[in-house]
Amino acid sequence: MNWHPPGFGGTRRDPEQVKRDGWQERGVLVIAEDDQRLSWPERELIRQLGAKLYGPRPEVSYG
């Protein structure tokens, strides 16, 4: 018998489906700052909203 409690085992939902469900079911919007489906002004708005609500993102240094 292969019984798993909800959220354990089975198949995973695609991350985009999780985002879509969050918006449709809970009104929670998850957007990547660099989502290429958005225009530059839309990405800039997302960056500004994120900074206003959660503070500036730390600078990332590679090396």
Side-chain angles (χ1 to χ4, degrees):
M1 181 166 108
N2 288 335
W3 179 84
H4 300 284
F8 294 92
T11 59
R12 292 181 157 245
R13 291 186 294 169
D14 175 56
E16 287 298 317
Q17 184 63 46
V18 173
K19 294 176 194 179
R20 189 176 302 110
D21 292 346
W23 172 247
Q24 292 174 350
E25 296 172 10
R26 305 281 183 181
V28 174
L29 186 58
V30 178
I31 305 171
E33 180 181 19
D34 61 352
D35 191 323
Q36 294 302 308
R37 295 173 292 182
L38 303 174
S39 65
W40 180 86
E42 292 167 334
R43 289 192 303 270
E44 181 63 17
L45 175 62
I46 297 303
R47 187 194 63 75
Q48 290 176 12
L49 287 171
K52 179 178 181 176
L53 295 174
Y54 303 112
R57 293 184 68 203
E59 293 294 322
V60 178
S61 61
Y62 298 98

